[in-house]
Amino acid sequence: MPKGDDEVFRTFIHDFLAFSARVDQCRAGFGDCLGISGIAYTTLISIAHLQGEEGVGVSRIAEHLHLSGAFVTIEVSKLVKAGLVHKRANQEDRRRVLLTVTPKARKLLEQLVEIQAPVNDALFDCLSASEFRQLASMMARLVACGDKAVTLMSFLTAPSTQAGESTRKMSRRR
């Protein structure tokens, strides 16, 4: 931290959390427009973008969204039930499924663009195209750093780890 002061770090984290909350509110709003939750909307739009000609597997969607396959499977089931996603067996591996959006979903997503485009533009209005590309690149790297931090947090706070035990002993001494 500059000069041993974490004020810049704290401000960044709080601003990041505030922005993240606004992005989540927008996502929930997009979902509301379609009659589904925000995470269901994110899952649906990801299927639409990644399905290609053949469809897309649950594992690819999970990887893309940085979520577990089990969680994505639950969300996909809701989308199938709502008539927004079609699920069929993968001919190359019958244990897996391929997902595609239904014509109903495609129509809803096309109608949503009237709201989605200006809202997304407003979210990043303060950035130039070049700055947005830089932020997108940094965000991809930050996700990987976040994964490392979560793993480290789990290690340091696990009751049976020596590191976790040392941390607890240190905090008791204070």
Side-chain angles (χ1 to χ4, degrees):
M1 295 292 109
K3 300 177 188 172
D5 184 3
D6 71 348
E7 184 178 341
V8 172
F9 173 76
R10 294 282 161 222
T11 300
F12 168 78
I13 291 296
H14 297 145
D15 288 346
F16 180 81
L17 290 170
F19 182 71
S20 178
R22 271 65 169 189
V23 170
D24 198 48
Q25 287 174 308
C26 292
R27 176 176 78 165
F30 296 149
D32 284 346
C33 290
L34 302 180
I36 57 178
S37 69
I39 188 61
Y41 159 76
T42 300
T43 304
L44 180 65
I45 198 84
S46 295
I47 293 167
H49 285 286
L50 297 173
Q51 72 181 21
E53 294 293 318
E54 297 295 315
V56 62
V58 169
S59 60
R60 176 66 184 110
I61 297 298
E63 175 188 308
H64 176 73
L65 296 176
H66 307 280
L67 297 169
S68 74
F71 183 81
V72 170
T73 297
I74 291 167
E75 291 304 313
V76 165
S77 293
K78 294 174 190 175
L79 293 169
V80 169
K81 187 175 181 180
L84 300 173
V85 168
H86 179 72
K87 182 167 65 168
R88 64 181 169 77
N90 183 334
Q91 296 301 321
E92 294 175 19
D93 183 349
R94 306 288 284 164
R95 297 169 296 170
R96 298 180 182 265
V97 296
L98 291 173
L99 309 169
T100 53
V101 296
T102 63
K104 174 184 173 182
R106 180 69 58 203
K107 182 178 178 183
L108 288 171
L109 290 172
E110 286 171 8
Q111 292 170 349
L112 184 63
V113 169
E114 292 177 24
I115 296 167
Q116 184 186 35
V119 169
N120 285 342
D121 287 348
L123 270 173
F124 298 97
D125 188 49
C126 62
L127 301 178
S128 69
S130 173
E131 289 171 324
F132 179 80
R133 282 190 294 278
Q134 284 181 306
L135 178 62
S137 172
M138 286 187 259
M139 192 58 63
R141 295 191 324 256
L142 284 171
V143 170
C145 289
D147 289 343
K148 281 191 223 176
V150 168
T151 300
L152 180 60
M153 174 67 81
S154 295
F155 172 75
L156 293 175
T157 59
S160 63
T161 67
Q162 195 173 43
E165 204 46 46
S166 297
T167 303
R168 279 188 288 289
K169 285 178 184 174
M170 287 174 49
S171 62
R172 278 187 243 147
R173 289 182 201 154
R174 291 184 189 161

